Amino acid sequence: MTSYASGTSDVPLLGDTIPANLIATAARFPDRDALVEFATGRRWTYAEFAADVDRVAHGLLARGVGKGDRVGVWAPNCAEWTLVQYATARVGAILVNINPAYRVSELKYVLNQAGVRMLVAAESFKTSDYRGMIDEVRPQCPALRDVVLIGVDFDDLRVDGDAAALDAIELSSDDPINIQYTSGTTGFPKGATLSHHNILNNGFFVGELCGYTETDRICIPVPFYHCFGMVMGNLAATSHGACMVIPAPAFDPVASLRACAEERCTSLYGVPTMFIAMLAELGELDLSSLRTGIMAGSPCPAEIMKQVIDRMGMTEVTICYGMTETSPVSTQTRADDTIDRRVGTVGRVHPHLEIKIVDPATGRTVPRGEPGEFCTRGYSVMLGYWDQPDKTAEAIDSARWMHTGDIAVMDADGYVQITGRIKDMVIRGGENIYPREIEEFLYTHPDVLDAQVIGVPDQRFGEELMAWIRMRPGTTPLTAESVREFCAGKLAHYKIPRYVHVVDEFPMTVTGKIRKVEMRAAAVEILGLE
């Protein structure tokens, strides 16, 4: 049996656009909560939210923004971000998500690469002076004609107008509506270009597998600039009439838990590192309303998943796997999957999609149980990288399969395990080693809070293993020797890390993904391997 699966469903794909879907939801549930900004207490019903979206859409038109124009949004999570997301879709403009962590050179690159006409931005946040950086790059960005600052002149974008003017704009569900820049851990980031059809359907089916209805309230501490926040969060909510709850502008474990308790959230999102932080702050909060949620972004340690279910009551929590270029979700566990399935796999193929696992060298589909590269095909695959046909051709083959670069194994029942990135795989003395397996084992050490394993250069074996470890508070830091003793007899000798480095935190992207490329560069210096 080959490692191929297709997702059947009795529920058809949605054929409408994002604004048409929102208008239909607001008509069905006008008085239900649509959006709550927990930090400020601002809240919108669906009728109020749809009306405010239209006001911002009229404001865009009044400033000359039309179908196909690019509108950048550069801000932490806030209600205005969400309003811009839906207002740009209403007029057919293409929303360009800009990472809040970007600095001057990255901002200039994205504004010019996408040809951004209008930029909606926060004035500042934490150590970022957005206004100052915009002033610095603006003369070098010829396409940029308009800047709107949230909290300064954003209300000027809210303009009353005739709905007929908006309804007259001809939109197709296949129009590009969103550009999301990939992390760019190597080289310049690439702009994954996504359509209404891509992201509306992906958000909808993520919500279907979480069992969402209009009674659900989703706490979204993950960033909106990424698919996790704006698709799996916002679009999953609005396509079901559920409520979007913004706990804080950026991830704050205490604010997230308080928002869940006080807003009676039924669902909570996060990457594993976020859940680790929240578990440490649980206290006496009443989280009895929590039912489900999503853990994604990087592999979930088994122990963390069990605690999320036992201590936070998220009995139906699901694991999602995907990438920006696929809108993002390709596989998801189901609410009735066993704990083992939820901690050991990333689930089965999503409805209406195809997946396969291929030999990276030959492109042939491998038998079930054998590792290879994960590929996916279907409605979720991006239109392409913005203005980079050569990069698009490298990622999407002639048969429209998206090649993810992830190593995966599919079992007899179609459940998929992600065992690493092709580029993260360590080859030590001819042995292929998948760091995930070693990380999972190190999590079983009672003093280990978190662990990441990388390959570092070695003259004899080509590569050697190094473990970066975060210790539980009040414990004695592990050494290479103590880790070796712990692993002896339980891991094959070549899988035992030769080097151990104890840290307070790992280098991360804004979405909570560990930057192993940065760790490898630092390790060469730490170990004197230049």
Side-chain angles (χ1 to χ4, degrees):
M1 199 174 182
T2 60
S3 297
Y4 168 88
S6 60
T8 56
S9 177
D10 295 332
V11 181
L13 287 166
L14 303 177
D16 49 4
T17 62
I18 290 167
N21 185 264
L22 176 63
I23 290 164
T25 299
R28 285 168 64 208
F29 310 113
D31 301 323
R32 294 204 74 91
D33 282 348
L35 178 64
V36 173
E37 192 177 75
F38 182 70
T40 63
R42 294 189 294 167
R43 49 209 315 131
W44 288 254
T45 63
Y46 264 98
E48 292 164 343
F49 182 67
D52 225 3
V53 164
D54 275 9
R55 277 193 283 274
V56 176
H58 282 298
L60 293 172
L61 290 181
R63 295 192 182 212
V65 173
K67 184 177 175 182
D69 285 335
R70 273 78 68 205
V71 175
V73 60
W74 191 34
N77 286 12
C78 58
E80 287 81 2
W81 208 113
T82 310
L83 290 168
V84 170
Q85 175 184 345
Y86 288 85
T88 48
R90 185 80 163 104
V91 302
I94 299 173
L95 181 76
V96 180
N97 303 9
I98 303 175
N99 186 328
Y102 275 179
R103 291 293 181 259
V104 171
S105 64
E106 297 153 315
L107 173 67
K108 185 177 96 171
Y109 172 78
V110 165
L111 292 176
N112 284 328
Q113 206 277 326
V116 170
R117 177 193 172 116
M118 175 191 274
L119 177 60
V120 180
E123 191 176 17
S124 63
F125 183 66
K126 293 186 176 174
T127 59
S128 294
D129 174 12
Y130 293 132
R131 187 202 280 253
M133 287 189 271
I134 293 165
D135 288 344
E136 187 176 333
V137 303
R138 200 167 178 180
Q140 304 160 62
C141 299
L144 185 62
R145 297 184 199 170
D146 210 346
V147 174
V148 176
L149 295 176
I150 295 166
V152 178
D153 56 356
F154 185 85
D155 282 343
D156 296 345
L157 255 193
R158 287 185 167 99
V159 175
D160 288 315
D162 184 357
L166 296 174
D167 295 337
I169 300 167
E170 290 187 7
L171 303 177
S172 160
S173 61
D174 293 322
D175 290 336
I177 205 64
N178 184 210
I179 298 173
Q180 298 201 26
Y181 281 87
T182 56
S183 300
T185 48
T186 54
F188 286 111
K190 302 184 288 285
T193 307
L194 304 163
S195 66
H196 294 267
H197 193 67
N198 286 150
I199 59 177
L200 175 60
N201 275 292
N202 205 259
F204 174 69
F205 280 101
V206 164
E208 286 289 286
L209 295 190
C210 287
Y212 289 157
T213 70
E214 70 276 11
T215 63
D216 280 290
R217 302 173 71 80
I218 309 167
C219 183
I220 311 171
V222 293
F224 286 158
Y225 94 85
H226 187 265
C227 271
F228 202 169
M230 68 161 280
V231 178
M232 297 157 70
N234 296 347
L235 285 168
T238 59
S239 59
H240 289 87
C243 178
M244 303 168 276
V245 177
I246 305 171
F251 175 61
D252 176 329
V254 175
S256 300
L257 292 167
R258 278 190 53 224
C260 286
E262 293 178 34
E263 289 295 331
R264 306 309 293 151
C265 291
T266 57
S267 177
L268 170 63
Y269 288 6
V271 299
T273 49
M274 289 180 175
F275 281 102
I276 289 168
M278 288 188 281
L279 285 164
E281 301 284 354
L282 279 186
E284 300 301 311
L285 287 167
D286 176 9
L287 300 178
S288 58
S289 58
L290 281 177
R291 162 184 76 80
T292 186
I294 294 174
M295 212 183 284
S298 56
C300 168
E303 187 51 41
I304 301 307
M305 171 64 92
K306 285 170 183 161
Q307 287 189 48
V308 165
I309 293 168
D310 294 342
R311 297 176 59 205
M312 298 176 79
M314 294 169 60
T315 53
E316 296 175 30
V317 66
T318 69
I319 296 284
C320 287
Y321 161 77
M323 63 191 303
T324 305
E325 290 88 338
T326 56
S327 303
V329 176
S330 297
T331 68
Q332 188 170 351
T333 57
R334 305 327 196 234
D336 58 355
D337 279 336
T338 63
I339 299 285
D340 286 347
R341 293 279 198 211
R342 283 187 274 174
V343 299
T345 77
V346 291
R348 291 176 281 144
V349 63
H350 233 237
H352 302 287
L353 295 178
E354 297 173 273
I355 61 173
K356 66 177 179 178
I357 295 166
V358 303
D359 181 324
T362 65
R364 291 203 185 103
T365 307
V366 300
R368 295 210 177 183
E370 285 190 17
E373 184 182 16
F374 184 97
C375 300
T376 184
R377 178 168 70 177
Y379 78 82
S380 68
V381 175
M382 66 174 178
L383 301 176
Y385 292 118
W386 184 263
D387 208 18
Q388 290 187 297
D390 53 331
K391 299 290 185 192
T392 304
E394 288 172 17
I396 302 171
D397 67 27
S398 58
R400 290 291 298 167
W401 286 99
M402 176 77 207
H403 290 252
T404 66
D406 284 327
I407 299 166
V409 179
M410 184 186 294
D411 72 13
D413 297 317
Y415 285 84
V416 174
Q417 240 188 332
I418 302 296
T419 56
R421 294 283 294 162
I422 288 175
K423 63 184 181 190
D424 284 346
M425 186 175 76
V426 179
I427 304 175
R428 180 193 181 276
E431 297 278 6
N432 289 358
I433 302 171
Y434 301 104
R436 170 83 193 272
E437 179 192 351
I438 302 157
E439 290 160 2
E440 285 286 357
F441 179 73
L442 292 175
Y443 283 126
T444 65
H445 192 293
D447 297 344
V448 170
L449 180 65
D450 205 349
Q452 297 293 324
V453 172
I454 57 171
V456 295
D458 183 77
Q459 282 193 330
R460 185 177 168 201
F461 293 107
E463 283 187 289
E464 261 295 0
L465 293 173
M466 180 182 192
W468 286 42
I469 293 173
R470 289 174 61 208
M471 306 299 300
R472 291 192 185 280
T475 57
T476 305
L478 291 172
T479 63
E481 192 177 343
S482 55
V483 167
R484 210 164 24 247
E485 281 173 20
F486 181 70
C487 297
K490 297 170 191 149
L491 284 181
H493 71 91
Y494 62 87
K495 295 179 184 175
I496 297 175
R498 179 174 173 187
Y499 306 106
V500 171
H501 181 50
V502 174
V503 293
D504 292 329
E505 54 188 29
F506 303 123
M508 287 192 190
T509 66
V510 171
T511 50
K513 288 186 180 178
I514 310 291
R515 284 180 61 93
K516 286 195 171 182
V517 67
E518 216 171 283
M519 290 166 62
R520 281 190 285 267
V524 167
E525 238 173 85
I526 292 163
L527 301 173
L529 301 173
E530 292 95 334

